[in-house]
Amino acid sequence: MIRDLCDGQLEGAEIGSTEIIFTPEKIKGGIHTADTKTAGSVCLLMQVSMPCVLFAASPSELRLKGGTNAEMAPQIDYTAMVFKPIVEKFGFKFNCDIKMRGYYPKGGGEVIVQMSPVKQLNPINLTDRGSVTKIYGRAFVAGVLPFKVAKDMAAAAVRCIRKEIRDLYVNIQPVQEPKDQAFGNGNGIIIIAETSTGCLFAGSSLGKRGVNADKVGIEAAEMLLANLRHGGAVDEYLQDQLIIFMALACGVSRIKTGPVTLHTQTAIHFAEQLAKAKFSVKKSEDEEDASKDTYIIECQGIGMTNPYL
């Protein structure tokens, strides 16, 4: 996909290869289609292409096909409801239109992403967590699965959250995905907590054959609660997704996180190697974080500028 976005040369990109050689050319913009032909995640296609098309010569429309709600990747709901509002703090906007949802194993989903290039990215500062003001979400079923499954996931998640957070209304909507907007069968849930300073945290889970609905709801609720306990201003799944943007931005970015994931450590390693950005990861020195596993990730961005604008 990246080769096609920039008319580049790519050698060795086949299964079993241990080395690739990639030579990028001019990032063009325009309309691009990428199809995993399986339930391969459209969100991962979006992750890899977005930093490129931000520095394109003209606006881009990416037509991404595959799985929208798949294991081992963000669900499209997470990308739209958590990643998008936070990443737009770097000073760009994008539009994400879910045409069709697709699930494991067939995929068949399609998402259209539209974005305009920027001259430069702004640094971000996400260190003030604030207090939780809202908890909401959606529990969905698609295809042949009964609507009761969505209601059961939502109810179990609400019960689980109530044990720990008593004073907030938890609004999880059960949803039957319309037949014309979902390919195949699937079920899952995403729950989001919003804070007074605009931070967003999520817990999510996907149904699998033989796993009862209550268990799926509880898993998402427990993931959300774990992310609220650590005192960071981003959840464990957002931290690594912000690294590349911090590296490219102009100025110093800081984010407060819980335990730094292996994904984030890897992202930092490659951002330092490839972009020559400088990162530091230090334990938070704030008093309220003393008893918690809380860190500040700081980056001196390289101030990448778009040569075409």
mmCIF file of all heavy atoms in Angstrom, residues 58-111:
data_model
loop_
_atom_site.group_PDB
_atom_site.id
_atom_site.type_symbol
_atom_site.label_atom_id
_atom_site.label_comp_id
_atom_site.label_asym_id
_atom_site.label_seq_id
_atom_site.Cartn_x
_atom_site.Cartn_y
_atom_site.Cartn_z
ATOM 1 N N SER A 58 -1.258 16.330 -2.413
ATOM 2 C CA SER A 58 -2.659 16.738 -2.545
ATOM 3 C C SER A 58 -3.522 15.862 -1.640
ATOM 4 O O SER A 58 -3.036 14.860 -1.099
ATOM 5 C CB SER A 58 -3.102 16.599 -4.013
ATOM 6 O OG SER A 58 -3.026 15.245 -4.399
ATOM 7 N N PRO A 59 -4.816 16.199 -1.472
ATOM 8 C CA PRO A 59 -5.673 15.398 -0.587
ATOM 9 C C PRO A 59 -5.772 13.937 -1.030
ATOM 10 O O PRO A 59 -5.616 13.629 -2.219
ATOM 11 C CB PRO A 59 -7.036 16.093 -0.699
ATOM 12 C CG PRO A 59 -6.718 17.500 -1.080
ATOM 13 C CD PRO A 59 -5.508 17.398 -1.982
ATOM 14 N N SER A 60 -6.023 13.065 -0.071
ATOM 15 C CA SER A 60 -6.096 11.630 -0.341
ATOM 16 C C SER A 60 -7.449 11.056 0.045
ATOM 17 O O SER A 60 -8.081 11.518 1.006
ATOM 18 C CB SER A 60 -5.032 10.881 0.473
ATOM 19 O OG SER A 60 -3.744 11.317 0.135
ATOM 20 N N GLU A 61 -7.864 10.055 -0.714
ATOM 21 C CA GLU A 61 -9.005 9.234 -0.327
ATOM 22 C C GLU A 61 -8.527 7.790 -0.335
ATOM 23 O O GLU A 61 -8.071 7.281 -1.363
ATOM 24 C CB GLU A 61 -10.169 9.411 -1.311
ATOM 25 C CG GLU A 61 -11.351 8.521 -0.968
ATOM 26 C CD GLU A 61 -12.589 8.814 -1.814
ATOM 27 O OE1 GLU A 61 -13.111 9.949 -1.705
ATOM 28 O OE2 GLU A 61 -13.007 7.927 -2.568
ATOM 29 N N LEU A 62 -8.569 7.153 0.831
ATOM 30 C CA LEU A 62 -8.102 5.773 0.963
ATOM 31 C C LEU A 62 -9.320 4.868 1.097
ATOM 32 O O LEU A 62 -10.133 5.047 2.012
ATOM 33 C CB LEU A 62 -7.217 5.632 2.206
ATOM 34 C CG LEU A 62 -6.064 6.632 2.342
ATOM 35 C CD1 LEU A 62 -5.375 6.472 3.688
ATOM 36 C CD2 LEU A 62 -5.065 6.451 1.209
ATOM 37 N N ARG A 63 -9.442 3.919 0.187
ATOM 38 C CA ARG A 63 -10.544 2.952 0.264
ATOM 39 C C ARG A 63 -9.963 1.649 0.782
ATOM 40 O O ARG A 63 -9.257 0.940 0.065
ATOM 41 C CB ARG A 63 -11.171 2.767 -1.118
ATOM 42 C CG ARG A 63 -11.793 4.059 -1.604
ATOM 43 C CD ARG A 63 -12.342 3.988 -3.003
ATOM 44 N NE ARG A 63 -12.930 5.273 -3.378
ATOM 45 C CZ ARG A 63 -13.409 5.545 -4.586
ATOM 46 N NH1 ARG A 63 -13.363 4.637 -5.544
ATOM 47 N NH2 ARG A 63 -13.927 6.740 -4.842
ATOM 48 N N LEU A 64 -10.222 1.372 2.040
ATOM 49 C CA LEU A 64 -9.556 0.272 2.741
ATOM 50 C C LEU A 64 -10.541 -0.865 2.963
ATOM 51 O O LEU A 64 -11.625 -0.665 3.513
ATOM 52 C CB LEU A 64 -9.009 0.775 4.074
ATOM 53 C CG LEU A 64 -8.168 2.059 3.996
ATOM 54 C CD1 LEU A 64 -7.752 2.522 5.381
ATOM 55 C CD2 LEU A 64 -6.950 1.853 3.106
ATOM 56 N N LYS A 65 -10.151 -2.073 2.536
ATOM 57 C CA LYS A 65 -11.070 -3.218 2.594
ATOM 58 C C LYS A 65 -10.480 -4.356 3.406
ATOM 59 O O LYS A 65 -9.277 -4.617 3.330
ATOM 60 C CB LYS A 65 -11.376 -3.709 1.171
ATOM 61 C CG LYS A 65 -12.033 -2.633 0.319
ATOM 62 C CD LYS A 65 -12.284 -3.116 -1.099
ATOM 63 C CE LYS A 65 -12.897 -1.985 -1.925
ATOM 64 N NZ LYS A 65 -13.272 -2.437 -3.263
ATOM 65 N N GLY A 66 -11.340 -5.006 4.188
ATOM 66 C CA GLY A 66 -10.885 -6.132 5.011
ATOM 67 C C GLY A 66 -11.744 -6.247 6.255
ATOM 68 O O GLY A 66 -12.956 -6.103 6.200
ATOM 69 N N GLY A 67 -11.105 -6.484 7.407
ATOM 70 C CA GLY A 67 -11.835 -6.597 8.670
ATOM 71 C C GLY A 67 -11.918 -5.252 9.364
ATOM 72 O O GLY A 67 -10.917 -4.543 9.479
ATOM 73 N N THR A 68 -13.131 -4.871 9.790
ATOM 74 C CA THR A 68 -13.270 -3.610 10.543
ATOM 75 C C THR A 68 -13.227 -3.874 12.045
ATOM 76 O O THR A 68 -12.853 -3.012 12.828
ATOM 77 C CB THR A 68 -14.611 -2.907 10.230
ATOM 78 O OG1 THR A 68 -15.684 -3.815 10.509
ATOM 79 C CG2 THR A 68 -14.663 -2.464 8.776
ATOM 80 N N ASN A 69 -13.646 -5.069 12.451
ATOM 81 C CA ASN A 69 -13.660 -5.447 13.858
ATOM 82 C C ASN A 69 -12.991 -6.810 13.946
ATOM 83 O O ASN A 69 -13.643 -7.850 13.837
ATOM 84 C CB ASN A 69 -15.099 -5.495 14.390
ATOM 85 C CG ASN A 69 -15.790 -4.142 14.293
ATOM 86 O OD1 ASN A 69 -16.188 -3.698 13.204
ATOM 87 N ND2 ASN A 69 -15.924 -3.463 15.406
ATOM 88 N N ALA A 70 -11.668 -6.791 14.076
ATOM 89 C CA ALA A 70 -10.884 -8.019 14.017
ATOM 90 C C ALA A 70 -9.973 -8.112 15.236
ATOM 91 O O ALA A 70 -9.627 -7.104 15.835
ATOM 92 C CB ALA A 70 -10.046 -8.030 12.733
ATOM 93 N N GLU A 71 -9.593 -9.332 15.581
ATOM 94 C CA GLU A 71 -8.671 -9.540 16.703
ATOM 95 C C GLU A 71 -7.290 -8.960 16.388
ATOM 96 O O GLU A 71 -6.921 -8.798 15.224
ATOM 97 C CB GLU A 71 -8.506 -11.050 16.954
ATOM 98 C CG GLU A 71 -9.742 -11.724 17.540
ATOM 99 C CD GLU A 71 -9.925 -11.455 19.023
ATOM 100 O OE1 GLU A 71 -9.027 -10.866 19.658
ATOM 101 O OE2 GLU A 71 -10.980 -11.838 19.555
ATOM 102 N N MET A 72 -6.513 -8.689 17.423
ATOM 103 C CA MET A 72 -5.106 -8.271 17.293
ATOM 104 C C MET A 72 -4.940 -6.933 16.574
ATOM 105 O O MET A 72 -3.908 -6.673 15.967
ATOM 106 C CB MET A 72 -4.274 -9.340 16.526
ATOM 107 C CG MET A 72 -4.454 -10.767 17.006
ATOM 108 S SD MET A 72 -3.827 -10.999 18.672
ATOM 109 C CE MET A 72 -2.074 -10.931 18.378
ATOM 110 N N ALA A 73 -5.966 -6.113 16.628
ATOM 111 C CA ALA A 73 -5.904 -4.809 15.961
ATOM 112 C C ALA A 73 -6.985 -3.934 16.582
ATOM 113 O O ALA A 73 -7.938 -4.456 17.161
ATOM 114 C CB ALA A 73 -6.161 -4.975 14.462
ATOM 115 N N PRO A 74 -6.873 -2.608 16.446
ATOM 116 C CA PRO A 74 -7.963 -1.775 16.975
ATOM 117 C C PRO A 74 -9.261 -2.074 16.215
ATOM 118 O O PRO A 74 -9.223 -2.337 15.015
ATOM 119 C CB PRO A 74 -7.505 -0.343 16.663
ATOM 120 C CG PRO A 74 -6.065 -0.432 16.297
ATOM 121 C CD PRO A 74 -5.825 -1.820 15.792
ATOM 122 N N GLN A 75 -10.385 -2.037 16.908
ATOM 123 C CA GLN A 75 -11.667 -2.094 16.196
ATOM 124 C C GLN A 75 -11.910 -0.726 15.573
ATOM 125 O O GLN A 75 -11.457 0.292 16.090
ATOM 126 C CB GLN A 75 -12.799 -2.448 17.161
ATOM 127 C CG GLN A 75 -12.687 -3.860 17.737
ATOM 128 C CD GLN A 75 -13.959 -4.293 18.457
ATOM 129 O OE1 GLN A 75 -15.063 -4.146 17.943
ATOM 130 N NE2 GLN A 75 -13.796 -4.830 19.659
ATOM 131 N N ILE A 76 -12.660 -0.701 14.464
ATOM 132 C CA ILE A 76 -12.912 0.572 13.773
ATOM 133 C C ILE A 76 -13.598 1.564 14.716
ATOM 134 O O ILE A 76 -13.391 2.776 14.611
ATOM 135 C CB ILE A 76 -13.730 0.364 12.467
ATOM 136 C CG1 ILE A 76 -13.764 1.640 11.620
ATOM 137 C CG2 ILE A 76 -15.148 -0.124 12.757
ATOM 138 C CD1 ILE A 76 -12.438 2.094 11.053
ATOM 139 N N ASP A 77 -14.379 1.046 15.665
ATOM 140 C CA ASP A 77 -15.055 1.930 16.627
ATOM 141 C C ASP A 77 -14.028 2.631 17.518
ATOM 142 O O ASP A 77 -14.191 3.785 17.884
ATOM 143 C CB ASP A 77 -16.034 1.128 17.481
ATOM 144 C CG ASP A 77 -16.955 0.304 16.614
ATOM 145 O OD1 ASP A 77 -16.581 -0.831 16.238
ATOM 146 O OD2 ASP A 77 -18.024 0.800 16.257
ATOM 147 N N TYR A 78 -12.964 1.921 17.875
ATOM 148 C CA TYR A 78 -11.886 2.527 18.668
ATOM 149 C C TYR A 78 -11.196 3.613 17.846
ATOM 150 O O TYR A 78 -10.950 4.724 18.327
ATOM 151 C CB TYR A 78 -10.867 1.453 19.080
ATOM 152 C CG TYR A 78 -9.761 2.006 19.964
ATOM 153 C CD1 TYR A 78 -9.877 1.947 21.350
ATOM 154 C CD2 TYR A 78 -8.638 2.618 19.421
ATOM 155 C CE1 TYR A 78 -8.889 2.478 22.168
ATOM 156 C CE2 TYR A 78 -7.651 3.155 20.229
ATOM 157 C CZ TYR A 78 -7.777 3.082 21.601
ATOM 158 O OH TYR A 78 -6.799 3.625 22.401
ATOM 159 N N THR A 79 -10.913 3.297 16.586
ATOM 160 C CA THR A 79 -10.243 4.262 15.709
ATOM 161 C C THR A 79 -11.081 5.537 15.567
ATOM 162 O O THR A 79 -10.555 6.643 15.633
ATOM 163 C CB THR A 79 -9.973 3.622 14.331
ATOM 164 O OG1 THR A 79 -9.088 2.507 14.529
ATOM 165 C CG2 THR A 79 -9.332 4.600 13.369
ATOM 166 N N ALA A 80 -12.391 5.366 15.404
ATOM 167 C CA ALA A 80 -13.269 6.525 15.197
ATOM 168 C C ALA A 80 -13.545 7.291 16.498
ATOM 169 O O ALA A 80 -13.631 8.516 16.492
ATOM 170 C CB ALA A 80 -14.589 6.059 14.571
ATOM 171 N N MET A 81 -13.672 6.574 17.611
ATOM 172 C CA MET A 81 -14.149 7.204 18.844
ATOM 173 C C MET A 81 -13.036 7.622 19.807
ATOM 174 O O MET A 81 -13.231 8.502 20.640
ATOM 175 C CB MET A 81 -15.129 6.271 19.565
ATOM 176 C CG MET A 81 -16.395 6.003 18.755
ATOM 177 S SD MET A 81 -17.318 4.539 19.321
ATOM 178 C CE MET A 81 -18.230 5.196 20.697
ATOM 179 N N VAL A 82 -11.862 6.996 19.708
ATOM 180 C CA VAL A 82 -10.750 7.328 20.614
ATOM 181 C C VAL A 82 -9.552 7.885 19.844
ATOM 182 O O VAL A 82 -9.107 9.005 20.084
ATOM 183 C CB VAL A 82 -10.311 6.092 21.443
ATOM 184 C CG1 VAL A 82 -9.138 6.440 22.352
ATOM 185 C CG2 VAL A 82 -11.486 5.570 22.283
ATOM 186 N N PHE A 83 -9.027 7.098 18.904
ATOM 187 C CA PHE A 83 -7.833 7.521 18.163
ATOM 188 C C PHE A 83 -8.059 8.844 17.421
ATOM 189 O O PHE A 83 -7.253 9.766 17.514
ATOM 190 C CB PHE A 83 -7.445 6.419 17.171
ATOM 191 C CG PHE A 83 -6.351 6.795 16.211
ATOM 192 C CD1 PHE A 83 -5.019 6.822 16.619
ATOM 193 C CD2 PHE A 83 -6.643 7.114 14.893
ATOM 194 C CE1 PHE A 83 -4.000 7.166 15.736
ATOM 195 C CE2 PHE A 83 -5.630 7.458 14.004
ATOM 196 C CZ PHE A 83 -4.311 7.487 14.429
ATOM 197 N N LYS A 84 -9.170 8.948 16.707
ATOM 198 C CA LYS A 84 -9.410 10.128 15.855
ATOM 199 C C LYS A 84 -9.418 11.450 16.640
ATOM 200 O O LYS A 84 -8.640 12.354 16.324
ATOM 201 C CB LYS A 84 -10.709 9.947 15.061
ATOM 202 C CG LYS A 84 -11.048 11.098 14.114
ATOM 203 C CD LYS A 84 -12.368 10.824 13.390
ATOM 204 C CE LYS A 84 -12.621 11.816 12.269
ATOM 205 N NZ LYS A 84 -12.887 13.182 12.749
ATOM 206 N N PRO A 85 -10.269 11.578 17.684
ATOM 207 C CA PRO A 85 -10.270 12.884 18.369
ATOM 208 C C PRO A 85 -8.929 13.233 19.014
ATOM 209 O O PRO A 85 -8.570 14.408 19.106
ATOM 210 C CB PRO A 85 -11.367 12.741 19.434
ATOM 211 C CG PRO A 85 -11.777 11.319 19.437
ATOM 212 C CD PRO A 85 -11.324 10.683 18.186
ATOM 213 N N ILE A 86 -8.174 12.234 19.452
ATOM 214 C CA ILE A 86 -6.890 12.535 20.103
ATOM 215 C C ILE A 86 -5.817 12.864 19.070
ATOM 216 O O ILE A 86 -5.078 13.846 19.199
ATOM 217 C CB ILE A 86 -6.434 11.371 21.010
ATOM 218 C CG1 ILE A 86 -7.483 11.051 22.086
ATOM 219 C CG2 ILE A 86 -5.074 11.696 21.643
ATOM 220 C CD1 ILE A 86 -7.711 12.113 23.135
ATOM 221 N N VAL A 87 -5.734 12.062 18.001
ATOM 222 C CA VAL A 87 -4.662 12.288 17.018
ATOM 223 C C VAL A 87 -4.877 13.617 16.280
ATOM 224 O O VAL A 87 -3.918 14.254 15.836
ATOM 225 C CB VAL A 87 -4.531 11.086 16.045
ATOM 226 C CG1 VAL A 87 -5.521 11.179 14.885
ATOM 227 C CG2 VAL A 87 -3.109 10.959 15.522
ATOM 228 N N GLU A 88 -6.133 14.072 16.210
ATOM 229 C CA GLU A 88 -6.401 15.360 15.541
ATOM 230 C C GLU A 88 -5.833 16.546 16.329
ATOM 231 O O GLU A 88 -5.706 17.648 15.787
ATOM 232 C CB GLU A 88 -7.908 15.520 15.281
ATOM 233 C CG GLU A 88 -8.379 14.638 14.113
ATOM 234 C CD GLU A 88 -9.858 14.775 13.795
ATOM 235 O OE1 GLU A 88 -10.620 15.292 14.647
ATOM 236 O OE2 GLU A 88 -10.263 14.372 12.684
ATOM 237 N N LYS A 89 -5.431 16.310 17.581
ATOM 238 C CA LYS A 89 -4.760 17.362 18.363
ATOM 239 C C LYS A 89 -3.396 17.734 17.758
ATOM 240 O O LYS A 89 -2.834 18.773 18.076
ATOM 241 C CB LYS A 89 -4.572 16.916 19.815
ATOM 242 C CG LYS A 89 -5.870 16.742 20.601
ATOM 243 C CD LYS A 89 -5.577 16.301 22.040
ATOM 244 C CE LYS A 89 -6.821 15.879 22.794
ATOM 245 N NZ LYS A 89 -7.709 17.007 23.134
ATOM 246 N N PHE A 90 -2.867 16.870 16.895
ATOM 247 C CA PHE A 90 -1.607 17.193 16.211
ATOM 248 C C PHE A 90 -1.807 18.248 15.109
ATOM 249 O O PHE A 90 -0.847 18.684 14.491
ATOM 250 C CB PHE A 90 -0.979 15.934 15.587
ATOM 251 C CG PHE A 90 -0.325 15.015 16.584
ATOM 252 C CD1 PHE A 90 -0.988 13.880 17.038
ATOM 253 C CD2 PHE A 90 0.958 15.266 17.060
ATOM 254 C CE1 PHE A 90 -0.383 13.010 17.955
ATOM 255 C CE2 PHE A 90 1.574 14.415 17.971
ATOM 256 C CZ PHE A 90 0.897 13.289 18.422
ATOM 257 N N GLY A 91 -3.071 18.616 14.864
ATOM 258 C CA GLY A 91 -3.326 19.716 13.932
ATOM 259 C C GLY A 91 -3.769 19.299 12.548
ATOM 260 O O GLY A 91 -3.479 19.957 11.559
ATOM 261 N N PHE A 92 -4.473 18.179 12.448
ATOM 262 C CA PHE A 92 -5.079 17.811 11.161
ATOM 263 C C PHE A 92 -6.429 17.165 11.425
ATOM 264 O O PHE A 92 -6.738 16.803 12.558
ATOM 265 C CB PHE A 92 -4.166 16.865 10.374
ATOM 266 C CG PHE A 92 -3.951 15.509 11.000
ATOM 267 C CD1 PHE A 92 -4.783 14.435 10.705
ATOM 268 C CD2 PHE A 92 -2.909 15.297 11.890
ATOM 269 C CE1 PHE A 92 -4.590 13.187 11.291
ATOM 270 C CE2 PHE A 92 -2.703 14.055 12.482
ATOM 271 C CZ PHE A 92 -3.554 12.991 12.178
ATOM 272 N N LYS A 93 -7.218 17.062 10.372
ATOM 273 C CA LYS A 93 -8.526 16.421 10.493
ATOM 274 C C LYS A 93 -8.618 15.315 9.458
ATOM 275 O O LYS A 93 -8.016 15.410 8.396
ATOM 276 C CB LYS A 93 -9.642 17.435 10.196
ATOM 277 C CG LYS A 93 -9.785 18.518 11.261
ATOM 278 C CD LYS A 93 -10.988 18.226 12.133
ATOM 279 C CE LYS A 93 -11.274 19.294 13.163
ATOM 280 N NZ LYS A 93 -10.335 19.283 14.272
ATOM 281 N N PHE A 94 -9.362 14.255 9.786
ATOM 282 C CA PHE A 94 -9.655 13.275 8.734
ATOM 283 C C PHE A 94 -11.076 12.785 8.880
ATOM 284 O O PHE A 94 -11.679 12.910 9.937
ATOM 285 C CB PHE A 94 -8.637 12.129 8.729
ATOM 286 C CG PHE A 94 -8.718 11.177 9.893
ATOM 287 C CD1 PHE A 94 -9.436 9.989 9.799
ATOM 288 C CD2 PHE A 94 -8.037 11.435 11.079
ATOM 289 C CE1 PHE A 94 -9.487 9.094 10.872
ATOM 290 C CE2 PHE A 94 -8.085 10.547 12.150
ATOM 291 C CZ PHE A 94 -8.817 9.374 12.043
ATOM 292 N N ASN A 95 -11.592 12.262 7.809
ATOM 293 C CA ASN A 95 -12.954 11.775 7.789
ATOM 294 C C ASN A 95 -12.905 10.255 7.619
ATOM 295 O O ASN A 95 -12.135 9.766 6.804
ATOM 296 C CB ASN A 95 -13.677 12.425 6.602
ATOM 297 C CG ASN A 95 -15.167 12.216 6.712
ATOM 298 O OD1 ASN A 95 -15.695 12.118 7.808
ATOM 299 N ND2 ASN A 95 -15.833 12.118 5.582
ATOM 300 N N CYS A 96 -13.686 9.545 8.408
ATOM 301 C CA CYS A 96 -13.641 8.085 8.373
ATOM 302 C C CYS A 96 -15.060 7.561 8.216
ATOM 303 O O CYS A 96 -15.858 7.651 9.142
ATOM 304 C CB CYS A 96 -13.013 7.609 9.694
ATOM 305 S SG CYS A 96 -12.969 5.845 9.876
ATOM 306 N N ASP A 97 -15.370 7.071 7.041
ATOM 307 C CA ASP A 97 -16.737 6.662 6.715
ATOM 308 C C ASP A 97 -16.798 5.129 6.631
ATOM 309 O O ASP A 97 -16.155 4.528 5.778
ATOM 310 C CB ASP A 97 -17.124 7.305 5.368
ATOM 311 C CG ASP A 97 -18.560 7.000 4.977
ATOM 312 O OD1 ASP A 97 -19.324 6.527 5.842
ATOM 313 O OD2 ASP A 97 -18.911 7.231 3.807
ATOM 314 N N ILE A 98 -17.548 4.526 7.550
ATOM 315 C CA ILE A 98 -17.653 3.060 7.572
ATOM 316 C C ILE A 98 -18.759 2.640 6.601
ATOM 317 O O ILE A 98 -19.946 2.786 6.892
ATOM 318 C CB ILE A 98 -17.973 2.549 8.996
ATOM 319 C CG1 ILE A 98 -16.935 3.065 9.993
ATOM 320 C CG2 ILE A 98 -18.028 1.019 9.026
ATOM 321 C CD1 ILE A 98 -17.348 2.915 11.457
ATOM 322 N N LYS A 99 -18.366 2.141 5.440
ATOM 323 C CA LYS A 99 -19.349 1.734 4.420
ATOM 324 C C LYS A 99 -19.932 0.354 4.743
ATOM 325 O O LYS A 99 -21.108 0.092 4.507
ATOM 326 C CB LYS A 99 -18.671 1.655 3.043
ATOM 327 C CG LYS A 99 -18.301 3.010 2.470
ATOM 328 C CD LYS A 99 -19.523 3.693 1.915
ATOM 329 C CE LYS A 99 -19.194 5.014 1.279
ATOM 330 N NZ LYS A 99 -20.251 6.009 1.535
ATOM 331 N N MET A 100 -19.051 -0.533 5.199
ATOM 332 C CA MET A 100 -19.460 -1.916 5.437
ATOM 333 C C MET A 100 -18.576 -2.478 6.534
ATOM 334 O O MET A 100 -17.366 -2.274 6.503
ATOM 335 C CB MET A 100 -19.270 -2.725 4.138
ATOM 336 C CG MET A 100 -19.633 -4.191 4.220
ATOM 337 S SD MET A 100 -21.412 -4.520 4.369
ATOM 338 C CE MET A 100 -21.968 -4.169 2.718
ATOM 339 N N ARG A 101 -19.196 -3.148 7.506
ATOM 340 C CA ARG A 101 -18.400 -3.789 8.548
ATOM 341 C C ARG A 101 -18.081 -5.224 8.133
ATOM 342 O O ARG A 101 -18.912 -5.887 7.513
ATOM 343 C CB ARG A 101 -19.151 -3.768 9.879
ATOM 344 C CG ARG A 101 -19.199 -2.366 10.484
ATOM 345 C CD ARG A 101 -20.174 -2.295 11.640
ATOM 346 N NE ARG A 101 -20.128 -0.972 12.253
ATOM 347 C CZ ARG A 101 -19.320 -0.617 13.249
ATOM 348 N NH1 ARG A 101 -18.479 -1.488 13.765
ATOM 349 N NH2 ARG A 101 -19.343 0.597 13.734
ATOM 350 N N GLY A 102 -16.887 -5.680 8.470
ATOM 351 C CA GLY A 102 -16.469 -7.041 8.113
ATOM 352 C C GLY A 102 -15.779 -7.703 9.294
ATOM 353 O O GLY A 102 -15.062 -7.056 10.050
ATOM 354 N N TYR A 103 -16.019 -9.012 9.455
ATOM 355 C CA TYR A 103 -15.556 -9.750 10.630
ATOM 356 C C TYR A 103 -14.722 -10.960 10.207
ATOM 357 O O TYR A 103 -14.720 -11.382 9.057
ATOM 358 C CB TYR A 103 -16.764 -10.216 11.459
ATOM 359 C CG TYR A 103 -17.747 -9.095 11.672
ATOM 360 C CD1 TYR A 103 -18.893 -8.971 10.887
ATOM 361 C CD2 TYR A 103 -17.485 -8.099 12.616
ATOM 362 C CE1 TYR A 103 -19.769 -7.908 11.055
ATOM 363 C CE2 TYR A 103 -18.356 -7.037 12.790
ATOM 364 C CZ TYR A 103 -19.491 -6.943 12.013
ATOM 365 O OH TYR A 103 -20.337 -5.879 12.164
ATOM 366 N N TYR A 104 -14.044 -11.532 11.190
ATOM 367 C CA TYR A 104 -13.276 -12.760 10.978
ATOM 368 C C TYR A 104 -14.251 -13.882 10.604
ATOM 369 O O TYR A 104 -15.335 -13.949 11.175
ATOM 370 C CB TYR A 104 -12.534 -13.087 12.285
ATOM 371 C CG TYR A 104 -11.708 -14.328 12.211
ATOM 372 C CD1 TYR A 104 -10.432 -14.301 11.649
ATOM 373 C CD2 TYR A 104 -12.212 -15.534 12.679
ATOM 374 C CE1 TYR A 104 -9.671 -15.447 11.563
ATOM 375 C CE2 TYR A 104 -11.453 -16.686 12.598
ATOM 376 C CZ TYR A 104 -10.194 -16.644 12.042
ATOM 377 O OH TYR A 104 -9.455 -17.788 11.956
ATOM 378 N N PRO A 105 -13.945 -14.802 9.711
ATOM 379 C CA PRO A 105 -12.695 -14.920 8.937
ATOM 380 C C PRO A 105 -12.743 -14.308 7.536
ATOM 381 O O PRO A 105 -11.742 -14.259 6.849
ATOM 382 C CB PRO A 105 -12.562 -16.444 8.812
ATOM 383 C CG PRO A 105 -13.986 -16.922 8.711
ATOM 384 C CD PRO A 105 -14.815 -15.959 9.526
ATOM 385 N N LYS A 106 -13.949 -13.822 7.127
ATOM 386 C CA LYS A 106 -14.071 -13.429 5.716
ATOM 387 C C LYS A 106 -13.705 -11.983 5.443
ATOM 388 O O LYS A 106 -13.362 -11.624 4.324
ATOM 389 C CB LYS A 106 -15.513 -13.676 5.233
ATOM 390 C CG LYS A 106 -15.849 -15.154 5.061
ATOM 391 C CD LYS A 106 -17.121 -15.314 4.238
ATOM 392 C CE LYS A 106 -17.476 -16.780 4.024
ATOM 393 N NZ LYS A 106 -18.813 -17.098 4.550
ATOM 394 N N GLY A 107 -13.813 -11.112 6.444
ATOM 395 C CA GLY A 107 -13.576 -9.686 6.171
ATOM 396 C C GLY A 107 -14.742 -9.120 5.398
ATOM 397 O O GLY A 107 -15.885 -9.262 5.794
ATOM 398 N N GLY A 108 -14.434 -8.480 4.268
ATOM 399 C CA GLY A 108 -15.505 -7.923 3.444
ATOM 400 C C GLY A 108 -15.965 -6.544 3.879
ATOM 401 O O GLY A 108 -16.925 -6.003 3.349
ATOM 402 N N GLY A 109 -15.272 -5.951 4.865
ATOM 403 C CA GLY A 109 -15.613 -4.597 5.297
ATOM 404 C C GLY A 109 -14.963 -3.551 4.405
ATOM 405 O O GLY A 109 -14.015 -3.841 3.673
ATOM 406 N N GLU A 110 -15.490 -2.331 4.452
ATOM 407 C CA GLU A 110 -14.866 -1.233 3.694
ATOM 408 C C GLU A 110 -15.010 0.079 4.467
ATOM 409 O O GLU A 110 -16.087 0.424 4.939
ATOM 410 C CB GLU A 110 -15.484 -1.068 2.307
ATOM 411 C CG GLU A 110 -14.794 0.063 1.535
ATOM 412 C CD GLU A 110 -15.282 0.224 0.088
ATOM 413 O OE1 GLU A 110 -16.326 -0.360 -0.271
ATOM 414 O OE2 GLU A 110 -14.602 0.945 -0.665
ATOM 415 N N VAL A 111 -13.894 0.776 4.569
ATOM 416 C CA VAL A 111 -13.873 2.078 5.228
ATOM 417 C C VAL A 111 -13.222 3.069 4.271
ATOM 418 O O VAL A 111 -12.216 2.751 3.629
ATOM 419 C CB VAL A 111 -13.064 2.004 6.548
ATOM 420 C CG1 VAL A 111 -12.877 3.377 7.150
ATOM 421 C CG2 VAL A 111 -13.759 1.085 7.537
#
